[in-house]
Amino acid sequence: MTDYVKFVDVTKCDGCRACMVACKNWNDLPAEPEEFHGSIQSHAGLTANTWNVITYEEHERSDGSFDWLFRHAACLHCNIAGCEKACPENAISTTKFGSVVIDHDKCVGCGYCVQGCYFDVIQLAAYKDKKGKEYRLAQKCDLCTGRLENGLQPACVTACHTDCLVFGRKEDVLRDAKNRLAKVKERYPNANIYNPQGIDGTTTVYLLAEKPSVYGLPEDPQAKLSQVIWKDWAQPIGKLAVGATTFGVLSALAVQGALKLKNRGKEGEDHHEG
């Protein structure tokens, strides 16, 4: 379990998109212009080259009034990460900061991580090598792990002018989150802390003004037992079995080689005596 948390208080977000710009700049991600799709939301959703998006929801309240509900949508960095469990190459891992990161030297672009993600965050980007052959790599927000390792905050956090985004020690941040929740309950009766326990919690924790489903989030995501068994038990045992088999074959060949040498030596002795 990580000692760090990125906290997103959506009730403070004013939809400025500064976090999106900071993310693009810091990670050198290409622009992705989109056709108008009926909303002032800039992008329909996350892509392999757009790692966070401010979502806009015009929500009708119980008294008939409307609220703009904004959400900084990005990787939640799950403690039981579906993408990591689905990866057959061990290309995805969790750092000491709780960030779920991708090792592109190991990624083969199979896409299993895309299927395994609970939140449709991780996506595949297409590239071409020097010979023009196309290959794919999984990409998503890495919580600016490189910045964290150098004592800096994530780029999105530093760009937020409303303190909607906060990164810090888990105990302190979650305590402040509970205090903030109590303050906003009068205006937002359905407000809640979103930190799904079905996946052992997340490093990105939200204070939502409405139920998770209103924001397009699953109410109670669950780690898939089949993935956990495969990644944590079957795959390691399988590798051990392959290793044992390989060792057995090599040992047998070594023994056979030693016997042949011994027999040749014996034959040589017999010939000399004759």
Side-chain angles (χ1 to χ4, degrees):
M1 297 290 288
T2 177
D3 290 330
Y4 299 90
V5 165
K6 173 183 170 183
F7 178 56
V8 184
D9 183 350
V10 304
T11 67
K12 291 184 177 181
C13 181
D14 63 2
C16 74
R17 302 190 182 99
C19 57
M20 293 181 62
V21 175
C23 179
K24 286 278 188 180
N25 287 343
W26 177 258
N27 294 291
D28 196 24
L29 299 172
E32 293 185 305
E34 292 189 3
E35 297 292 332
F36 178 67
H37 47 79
S39 169
I40 61 173
Q41 184 173 314
S42 63
H43 296 72
L46 300 172
T47 72
N49 289 307
T50 298
W51 295 355
N52 81 74
V53 169
I54 298 297
T55 62
Y56 287 65
E57 294 289 340
E58 190 174 2
H59 180 67
E60 183 178 4
R61 303 178 69 186
S62 58
D63 60 4
S65 61
F66 286 86
D67 268 331
W68 272 116
L69 300 181
F70 306 121
R71 180 172 76 90
H72 165 85
C75 180
L76 279 77
H77 300 279
C78 313
N79 288 324
I80 300 179
C83 59
E84 184 269 334
K85 296 301 180 189
C87 179
E89 300 297 326
N90 292 323
I92 303 177
S93 60
T94 302
T95 73
K96 65 180 181 180
F97 301 105
S99 53
V100 178
V101 297
I102 304 167
D103 184 343
H104 285 151
D105 290 333
K106 295 181 179 180
C107 178
V108 296
C110 65
Y112 290 146
C113 56
V114 177
Q115 300 175 35
C117 179
Y118 316 115
F119 303 101
D120 297 323
V121 167
I122 194 167
Q123 303 292 334
L124 297 179
Y127 295 94
K128 289 186 178 180
D129 61 20
K130 294 180 179 179
K131 295 182 179 180
K133 184 179 180 181
E134 187 172 290
Y135 64 96
R136 304 188 302 173
L137 291 175
Q139 296 187 166
K140 68 173 189 65
C141 159
D142 64 0
L143 202 59
C144 286
T145 298
R147 292 174 61 91
L148 297 178
E149 289 173 342
N150 287 280
L152 301 173
Q153 294 271 302
C156 59
V157 174
T158 61
C160 182
H161 71 105
T162 65
D163 290 331
C164 162
L165 303 178
V166 175
F167 183 85
R169 290 284 180 180
K170 182 177 182 179
E171 183 178 355
D172 299 332
V173 172
L174 293 186
R175 181 191 63 239
D176 293 343
K178 290 180 180 179
N179 292 336
R180 175 63 181 172
L181 177 63
K183 291 180 180 179
V184 303
K185 272 289 189 179
E186 183 175 353
R187 175 172 173 78
Y188 302 106
N190 293 326
N192 61 94
I193 300 293
Y194 189 69
N195 186 23
Q197 294 307 299
I199 51 177
D200 208 15
T202 53
T203 300
T204 297
V205 176
Y206 285 94
L207 190 162
L208 301 176
E210 290 291 340
K211 295 179 180 180
S213 57
V214 174
Y215 293 89
L217 293 167
E219 294 284 345
D220 185 25
Q222 299 286 324
K224 296 179 181 178
L225 182 60
S226 58
Q227 285 185 344
V228 174
I229 291 175
W230 179 79
K231 190 59 178 272
D232 294 348
W233 296 93
Q235 191 180 42
I237 291 173
K239 288 181 178 179
L240 286 174
V242 170
T245 301
T246 303
F247 178 76
V249 170
L250 292 175
S251 298
L253 290 174
V255 170
Q256 289 179 5
L259 290 173
K260 286 181 179 179
L261 289 173
K262 183 177 181 181
N263 290 333
R264 286 177 184 174
K266 185 176 181 181
E267 290 174 359
E269 291 176 359
D270 293 342
H271 178 74
H272 179 72
E273 290 176 358

